[in-house]
């Protein structure tokens, strides 16, 4: 069965430091992968997506992610974190046979210290 | 540009009561979804619909029902509310192609007491 694992429940980084959020997926074919961000009390906003082609994808707010098939990973990165990046981040893979519903990881909460 | 609109934003129910969570989208999206989000668990799919009149169960459908009479609306019905249904509910929609991202509403926070 398809699944998504986000190994880190909570990460704290200093403002201006670099960030990497880990995501591993289990899926037989080439996956459709997404990263979403959720601010407190809000819905989910798409950061970026990967379907095919270039394995390094650029998203909004200065985020990027790299698809590594050999490691079944899709890690999210940002070179310099801003205080406004504090939020919960979800990695997801499209679920086959259910429209294009998503299977989500459990999320990683990012805190930014000054 | 409203996108996906969910009502109400908050609700408290007593055990055994029923209610309908409303979801409407104005983007002419064929596909719509209901997810529930529990702390530390991510989002799980309750029901989905690929068009008016077509719905199907997701991962956690028990205790819920849906209907899809129009492209725009996709209400979620709780018939006999139970404490286990305390959660945040999100509605989402997208176009049929697999590379089309889902657009999410702001959620309905539901407490069953």
């Amino acid at each position: 069965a398809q699944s998504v694992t986000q190994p880190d429940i909570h990460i704290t980084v200093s403002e201006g430091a670099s960030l990497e959020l880990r995501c591993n997926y289990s899926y037989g074919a080439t996956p459709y992968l997404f990263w979403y961000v959720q601010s407190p009390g809000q819905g989910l906003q798409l950061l970026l997506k990967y379907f095919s082609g270039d394995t390094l994808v650029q998203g909004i707010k200065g985020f990027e992610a790299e698809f590594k098939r050999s490691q079944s990973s899709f890690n999210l990165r940002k070179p310099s974190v801003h205080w406004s990046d504090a939020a919960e981040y979800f990695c997801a893979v499209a679920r086959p046979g259910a429209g294009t519903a998503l299977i989500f990881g459990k999320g990683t909460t990012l805190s930014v210290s000054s | 540009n409203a996108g996906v609109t969910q009502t109400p934003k908050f609700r408290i129910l007593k055990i055994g009561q029923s209610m309908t969570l409303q979801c409407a989208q104005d983007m002419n999206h064929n596909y719509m979804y209901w997810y529930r989000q529990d702390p530390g668990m991510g989002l799980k799919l309750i029901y989905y619909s690929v068009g008016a009149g077509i719905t199907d169960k997701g991962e956690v459908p028990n205790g819920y029902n849906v209907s899809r009479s129009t492209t725009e609306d996709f209400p979620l019905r709780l018939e006999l509310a139970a404490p286990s249904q305390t959660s945040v509910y999100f509605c989402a929609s997208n176009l049929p192609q697999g590379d089309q991202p889902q657009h999410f509403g702001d959620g309905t926070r539901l407490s069953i007491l």
Side-chain angles (χ1 to χ4, degrees):
Chain A
Q2 294 76 27
S3 64
V4 176
T5 302
Q6 294 179 247
D8 304 305
I9 296 173
H10 189 198
I11 286 181
T12 299
V13 299
S14 300
E15 190 168 16
S18 63
L19 170 70
E20 182 170 29
L21 301 182
R22 295 183 291 164
C23 172
N24 294 98
Y25 66 89
S26 170
Y27 189 72
T30 300
Y32 288 178
L33 292 161
F34 305 81
W35 273 100
Y36 282 86
V37 61
Q38 183 182 33
S39 297
Q42 301 296 312
L44 279 71
Q45 180 183 22
L46 179 71
L47 285 175
L48 47 77
K49 59 185 180 181
Y50 171 79
F51 302 115
S52 64
D54 193 348
T55 56
L56 184 64
V57 293
Q58 302 298 319
I60 63 171
K61 304 183 179 185
F63 285 92
E64 65 178 26
E66 186 171 13
F67 171 64
K68 294 185 177 180
R69 184 187 301 276
S70 61
Q71 298 177 19
S72 297
S73 69
F74 188 56
N75 294 348
L76 182 71
R77 301 194 295 247
K78 186 170 185 177
S80 177
V81 169
H82 188 263
W83 64 267
S84 60
D85 293 323
E88 190 160 20
Y89 292 80
F90 292 97
C91 181
V93 63
R95 172 185 168 138
T100 55
L102 297 173
I103 299 170
F104 286 87
K106 294 183 178 181
T108 298
T109 299
L110 172 66
S111 298
V112 180
S113 60
S114 56
Chain B
N1 188 7
V4 178
T5 302
Q6 291 185 237
T7 56
K9 293 190 183 302
F10 305 95
R11 184 73 184 268
I12 298 175
L13 283 182
K14 294 182 180 179
I15 296 172
Q17 287 185 320
S18 62
M19 78 163 293
T20 299
L21 282 65
Q22 301 292 344
C23 174
Q25 53 90 10
D26 63 357
M27 298 171 283
N28 203 30
H29 285 170
N30 299 80
Y31 287 10
M32 296 187 74
Y33 313 85
W34 276 104
Y35 296 91
R36 60 176 287 172
Q37 182 181 27
D38 300 304
M41 297 302 294
L43 282 76
K44 295 191 181 298
L45 182 67
I46 305 171
Y47 271 94
Y48 68 98
S49 169
V50 298
I54 306 170
T55 62
D56 207 346
K57 297 177 181 178
E59 187 179 0
V60 288
N62 291 343
Y64 307 95
N65 280 298
V66 295
S67 60
R68 183 97 182 268
S69 57
T70 67
T71 299
E72 294 77 20
D73 300 300
F74 190 40
L76 178 72
R77 178 93 178 153
L78 283 70
E79 291 293 351
L80 290 171
S84 61
Q85 294 177 304
T86 294
S87 188
V88 182
Y89 292 84
F90 287 99
C91 180
S93 72
N94 65 347
L95 292 170
Q97 293 77 21
D99 63 344
Q100 294 299 308
Q102 294 185 18
H103 298 257
F104 285 81
D106 287 339
T108 294
R109 186 174 298 274
L110 180 63
S111 294
I112 315 295
L113 303 177

